[in-house]
Amino acid sequence: MLLLLVANLIILPVAISFFNDDLSTRWIAFNCLSDTIFLIDIVVNFRTGIMQQDNAEQVILDPKLIAKHYLRTWFFLDLISSIPLDYIFLIFNQDFSDSFQILHAGRALRILRLAKLLSLVRLLRLSRLVRYVSQWEEVYFLNMASVFMRIFNLICMMLLIGHWSGCLQFLVPMLQGFPSNSWVSINELQESYWLEQYSWALFKAMSHMLCIGYGRFPPQSLTDMWLTMLSMISGATCYALFLGHATNLIQSLDSSRRQYREKVKQVEEYMAYRKLPRDMRQRITEYFEHRYQGKFFDEECILGELSEKLREDVINYNCRSLVASVPFFANADSNFVSDVVTKLKYEVFQPGDIIIKEGTIGTKMYFIQEGVVDIVMANGEVATSLSDGSYFGEICLLTNARRVASVRAETYCNLFSLSVDHFNCVLDQYPLMRKTMETVAAERLNKIGKNPNIMQQKDEQLSNPESNQITAVVNALAAEADDCKDDDIDAKENLLHGSMSSITEPIQTIREGLPRPRSGEFRALFEGNTP
């Protein structure tokens, strides 16, 4: 049907405009075959299921409902375009036989000209072409870019309208008998070969449609002027539609890159407005380049619109390289890994950035996906370095203490952070993983010269009465104070990493390394004068 429709829409205007012998055997056979097939198609449409408007997956197969829908929509247009009105007119004309014999007589010419005009009704089959092409797209091109198909259809439609306009440019003077001031007579094309006539007519129509001139001659008659204006209006409309679709295509080809450029432009304007230093502007620009790599997505919004299961699958897939590189995850329960990765937040740090500062309250722990970080002590020495697959920052989350060391990015670092609330929420469900992390944390404390005894089971602390907590805190402070009596103050200051000038400051540091008391009375104990 698509091939036959395209053939009709191309051949019919050429035959009507450039061929006078409309009653040739081949032309009659082609028209009769086309009309018959299109009439059969109308019958088939009464038996073709239609999709429900509110549910595209269900098809209506009731013949009565199909007939009502077809009668209300396209039936009459299809019927008019399929009935051979021109032949019916010629058959019922009483002088048909005489006009056929004296084909060049005036009455016969008028009859044939009217038959030509009636033949133009067949061009209404364009509506079928549009419908069938849209159905073809739905079935076969569902996964293709719809914008590409729209532009392709628009180009084909522009060529078809140009073809029709060219045929119309010649048909109107021909029906008028080629007046002397018509463009056909001026160019002396009355007796030329049909291909030459069509070429000049198409050139004239395209010149109007593309708004680049009037062809070889401007319009000389009123008829030519109206045809020229019609061509210019149709061409300008198609040109505007083409520009709109092309612009839409360019924007939709890489929308994330376009959003990235807009975001960078906005950041540059902000930096200029705030008059930021040049080196800071350079760092911000480099951060955006490394963080987004030319693509900008609102990932939280995208994942937030997915179902919980689908969101979990996407996050697990995105973090697959992290899970594979972290030995802690490789040996852990799959449910624990899934619960952790769904709560991770992606962060990027530049070389020299302080990720964790010693003495601050910890709110996150980090997993290294890519990059190298240094564990820096208070005296500036690098205790150790961590790279891909490692994690850090869990000590203060396990002990509710302040940070015991600083962490500095040595290279560009792609990290995933886990907040303390999510950290506690997950470890409460997996106590074995908590014990594992506490063991690793104690080893790290011992490696950097800290007291590993501060790693105590948090759940055991919570189960003891408050009096036992007070006794444990006081005994720990007293024991550390006794140790301070036997050692040099400077040595003790180096052990407790801080430039301290009195004994109360090392004791305060020891207190900060211990689990924080939970009640206001414990805080009063720490804040009061220490005996």
Side-chain angles (χ1 to χ4, degrees):
M1 288 299 298
L2 282 174
L3 293 176
L4 189 60
L5 280 168
V6 172
N8 271 263
L9 295 176
I10 293 177
I11 296 175
L12 278 173
V14 175
I16 293 172
S17 302
F18 298 97
F19 291 91
N20 292 325
D21 189 9
D22 284 345
L23 301 179
S24 63
T25 305
R26 288 179 297 177
W27 175 243
I28 293 176
F30 176 76
N31 278 345
C32 291
L33 178 64
S34 300
D35 296 337
T36 303
I37 292 177
F38 286 122
L39 287 172
I40 294 175
D41 182 60
I42 293 177
V43 177
V44 173
N45 284 334
F46 278 102
R47 305 292 300 178
T48 302
I50 55 176
M51 291 185 179
Q52 292 186 359
Q53 295 181 354
D54 54 347
N55 190 351
E57 295 183 356
Q58 293 186 1
V59 181
I60 299 175
L61 298 176
D62 187 355
K64 294 182 179 179
L65 297 177
I66 295 174
K68 289 181 180 180
H69 179 268
Y70 189 45
L71 288 173
R72 288 197 311 267
T73 53
W74 301 103
F75 170 72
F76 291 103
L77 190 61
D78 292 345
L79 182 64
I80 293 174
S81 63
S82 301
I83 296 177
L85 297 177
D86 50 343
Y87 293 134
I88 294 176
F89 173 78
L90 292 175
I91 290 174
F92 283 95
N93 188 277
Q94 297 178 356
D95 300 330
F96 171 74
S97 58
D98 298 335
S99 62
F100 183 73
Q101 294 174 359
I102 51 174
L103 198 59
H104 297 288
R107 179 174 173 79
L109 287 177
R110 287 195 298 270
I111 292 174
L112 289 178
R113 287 172 183 174
L114 185 57
K116 285 178 180 291
L117 294 177
L118 292 176
S119 298
L120 294 176
V121 176
R122 291 190 176 96
L123 298 183
L124 294 175
R125 294 168 183 173
L126 178 66
S127 62
R128 291 199 199 192
L129 179 65
V130 174
R131 279 177 282 155
Y132 293 161
V133 168
S134 63
Q135 293 176 9
W136 186 278
E137 290 178 3
E138 291 177 1
V139 175
Y140 297 102
F141 298 101
L142 189 62
N143 296 326
M144 293 182 62
S146 59
V147 181
F148 280 106
M149 292 306 302
R150 287 201 301 269
I151 288 185
F152 177 75
N153 293 338
L154 182 60
I155 293 175
C156 293
M157 188 62 63
M158 290 176 61
L159 295 176
L160 183 61
I161 292 177
H163 171 72
W164 285 6
S165 179
C167 295
L168 186 63
Q169 293 286 338
F170 191 86
L171 176 64
V172 173
M174 190 261 301
L175 293 176
Q176 293 178 337
F178 299 120
S180 59
N181 60 350
S182 67
W183 73 272
V184 181
S185 300
I186 294 175
N187 290 275
E188 298 179 354
L189 298 172
Q190 299 93 324
E191 303 300 330
S192 301
Y193 186 57
W194 74 269
L195 185 59
E196 183 180 357
Q197 294 174 341
Y198 171 75
S199 300
W200 281 107
L202 183 62
F203 171 74
K204 183 177 177 62
M206 287 297 181
S207 299
H208 303 161
M209 293 181 64
L210 299 177
C211 302
I212 58 176
Y214 299 104
R216 293 182 63 184
F217 299 98
Q220 300 294 324
S221 63
L222 188 63
T223 305
D224 280 355
M225 183 179 65
W226 281 103
L227 288 175
T228 301
M229 288 192 296
L230 180 62
S231 296
M232 294 175 69
I233 292 173
S234 61
T237 303
C238 292
Y239 188 64
L241 290 174
F242 179 78
L243 285 180
H245 283 75
T247 303
N248 189 18
L249 172 62
I250 294 173
Q251 291 183 347
S252 63
L253 282 177
D254 202 347
S255 61
S256 60
R257 186 174 296 276
R258 176 175 54 84
Q259 293 181 14
Y260 171 77
R261 288 195 294 265
E262 293 177 356
K263 177 64 67 174
V264 170
K265 184 64 177 176
Q266 185 179 9
V267 171
E268 290 176 352
E269 293 177 356
Y270 169 78
M271 293 188 296
Y273 174 74
R274 291 298 183 184
K275 298 180 176 60
L276 298 182
R278 185 175 298 276
D279 57 342
M280 186 178 296
R281 296 188 187 189
Q282 182 66 24
R283 291 184 59 199
I284 293 175
T285 302
E286 293 176 354
Y287 173 84
F288 267 85
E289 291 177 355
H290 185 86
R291 170 68 175 82
Y292 297 105
Q293 298 182 358
K295 302 279 187 178
F296 184 81
F297 303 97
D298 190 353
E299 194 166 11
E300 293 184 2
C301 180
I302 295 174
L303 296 179
E305 295 176 351
L306 301 178
S307 64
E308 184 176 355
K309 179 61 172 64
L310 189 57
R311 179 169 60 254
E312 182 178 337
D313 293 341
V314 172
I315 294 176
N316 286 331
Y317 180 80
N318 292 338
C319 297
R320 65 191 185 282
S321 59
L322 174 70
V323 174
S325 62
V326 177
F328 178 73
F329 285 151
N331 301 319
D333 185 4
S334 60
N335 293 327
F336 169 78
V337 176
S338 179
D339 289 344
V340 170
V341 297
T342 54
K343 296 176 175 61
L344 295 179
K345 182 180 179 182
Y346 182 69
E347 296 186 27
V348 174
F349 292 91
Q350 294 176 293
D353 288 351
I354 301 298
I355 304 174
I356 289 177
K357 188 175 182 180
E358 182 181 0
T360 59
I361 298 177
T363 58
K364 298 178 183 179
M365 70 170 294
Y366 297 89
F367 296 89
I368 304 177
Q369 182 187 38
E370 183 180 358
V372 178
V373 299
D374 293 336
I375 310 300
V376 184
M377 304 304 299
N379 55 9
E381 296 181 359
V382 177
T384 184
S385 296
L386 302 176
S387 60
D388 301 2
S390 301
Y391 64 91
F392 58 90
E394 81 285 1
I395 296 176
C396 66
L397 303 187
L398 291 169
T399 62
N400 279 337
R402 295 181 180 271
R403 299 291 190 185
V404 297
S406 297
V407 180
R408 182 181 62 211
E410 184 66 21
T411 64
Y412 269 102
C413 296
N414 300 334
L415 310 179
F416 285 92
S417 63
L418 182 66
S419 67
V420 61
D421 295 333
H422 291 154
F423 177 83
N424 293 326
C425 178
V426 173
L427 290 188
D428 286 345
Q429 301 177 19
Y430 300 93
L432 180 60
M433 302 309 300
R434 176 187 290 275
K435 295 178 181 178
T436 303
M437 296 190 75
E438 289 174 346
T439 302
V440 175
E443 294 176 357
R444 289 183 174 178
L445 286 172
N446 189 33
K447 187 174 183 179
I448 63 177
K450 303 295 180 181
N451 183 10
N453 293 329
I454 65 174
M455 294 303 307
Q456 299 179 9
Q457 291 293 334
K458 186 179 178 181
D459 53 349
E460 293 179 1
Q461 296 173 10
L462 296 176
S463 63
N464 292 332
E466 292 184 354
S467 59
N468 293 338
Q469 293 184 8
I470 296 174
T471 303
V473 171
V474 173
N475 291 339
L477 291 173
E480 294 294 342
D482 292 338
D483 293 337
C484 292
K485 296 177 182 178
D486 301 330
D487 297 331
D488 183 74
I489 293 297
D490 294 334
K492 194 62 180 177
E493 288 175 350
N494 291 334
L495 175 64
L496 296 175
H497 62 273
S499 58
M500 308 173 187
S501 59
S502 64
I503 191 62
T504 57
E505 292 178 359
I507 295 176
Q508 178 66 20
T509 304
I510 297 174
R511 287 200 297 266
E512 291 172 351
L514 291 170
R516 289 201 301 270
R518 298 179 56 83
S519 67
E521 297 163 338
F522 301 160
R523 296 191 184 95
L525 176 63
F526 281 111
E527 294 169 358
N529 294 327
T530 305

